[in-house]
Amino acid sequence: MGKIGIYGSSFDPITNVHLWTASTVAHRCKLDKVIFLPCSSKRKDKTMKTSDTHRWEMLQLAISNNQTFIADDHEMLQEAWEVYTYYTMEHFKQKYPDDEVYFIMGADLLVDIANGKWKYDEELIASNKFIVMARDEINMVKTISRSPILRNHDDGTKFHLIDKGLSMEISSTYIRDEFSKGGEPRYLLPDACYEYIKKHELYSS
């Protein structure tokens, strides 16, 4: 049995922190694979700044030299009303029936679940395991203990809480803004992605 982590984000564009985070999680949690899952551009709560084709191409460029990393376009291909994390995790558990599948998320999303902001939250928590990364001084243990949904499904193996040990937040928004305003974000993202953005004139104002 292998261990697989599902790592979803807009990746618009993918950054070096995305890659470092995935590598750290894979190492700490002994994951065999990390699946990079670009989110659907049809989601009502997110607005992409470039096309699915460009996001997908940059993701492929970024992970091409790491055999632990896989790109999957499952959510990109779904209709908006079918894009819920519960459904996504059911898909990957069916796709990898002989493996343990974990959902990788930041502590801010754990807070959102605790506050009832996710659809199918109880089904999601009851039937999955999570790798949760520390963020913004959020107390993850207290977040779990204060939430009836989280604490009543916490059997000691449900949540793997990780502090990366270094606060290095480079957002895709910052990189887009730098490109848009004539800045120089070169070493904040993979070289191949930087060259791709320049070539296709993405994120220009």
Side-chain angles (χ1 to χ4, degrees):
M1 176 181 286
K3 296 174 70 176
I4 297 172
I6 309 299
Y7 185 24
S9 183
S10 59
F11 301 122
D12 190 19
I14 187 167
T15 74
N16 283 337
V17 168
H18 287 132
L19 298 173
W20 171 64
T21 296
S23 179
T24 299
V25 167
H27 175 73
R28 297 263 194 93
C29 300
K30 305 296 187 289
L31 300 181
D32 298 290
K33 297 290 180 185
V34 176
I35 295 176
F36 286 72
L37 186 71
C39 68
S40 171
S41 59
K42 305 180 188 76
R43 282 175 51 172
K44 294 179 180 179
D45 62 329
K46 285 185 177 288
T47 301
M48 301 303 133
K49 303 303 182 182
T50 192
S51 70
D52 285 357
T53 299
H54 288 315
R55 287 193 297 138
W56 181 252
E57 289 298 324
M58 287 188 284
L59 177 55
Q60 297 278 22
L61 289 169
I63 68 173
S64 62
N65 64 349
N66 191 324
Q67 294 183 342
T68 303
F69 295 166
I70 302 171
D72 194 296
D73 61 358
H74 171 70
E75 281 202 354
M76 277 183 159
L77 301 177
Q78 301 306 301
E79 295 299 334
W81 56 84
E82 296 177 338
V83 181
Y84 293 103
T85 302
Y86 172 70
Y87 291 155
T88 295
M89 291 301 290
E90 290 300 299
H91 164 79
F92 282 108
K93 286 186 293 185
Q94 291 171 15
K95 187 173 182 177
Y96 300 101
D98 298 325
D99 298 304
E100 273 192 301
V101 182
Y102 295 79
F103 184 65
I104 300 170
M105 64 180 178
D108 54 325
L109 299 185
L110 187 71
V111 171
D112 285 347
I113 294 172
N115 291 334
K117 293 183 178 180
W118 283 35
K119 196 163 186 178
Y120 306 116
D121 52 0
E122 188 143 14
E123 295 91 337
L124 174 68
I125 297 299
S127 58
N128 292 286
K129 293 184 177 182
F130 302 83
I131 297 169
V132 188
M133 297 170 290
R135 184 168 293 170
D136 299 331
E137 300 182 356
I138 293 170
N139 189 318
M140 295 184 285
V141 173
K142 282 188 177 180
T143 298
I144 293 169
S145 66
R146 290 172 178 171
S147 165
I149 290 177
L150 299 179
R151 68 172 178 260
N152 285 302
H153 289 292
D154 183 13
D155 59 0
T157 64
K158 177 72 62 178
F159 304 103
H160 191 146
L161 308 180
I162 290 182
D163 190 325
K164 291 181 289 188
L166 176 65
S167 179
M168 187 166 67
E169 299 297 336
I170 299 170
S171 71
S172 296
T173 301
Y174 179 88
I175 291 174
R176 292 196 305 266
D177 288 345
E178 287 295 284
F179 277 115
S180 174
K181 302 302 181 184
E184 180 50 280
R186 180 168 191 165
Y187 296 108
L188 303 182
L189 69 168
D191 283 345
C193 297
Y194 175 86
E195 297 298 339
Y196 184 94
I197 290 169
K198 298 289 279 189
K199 177 182 178 180
H200 294 277
E201 299 181 346
L202 305 182
Y203 312 120
S204 58
S205 54

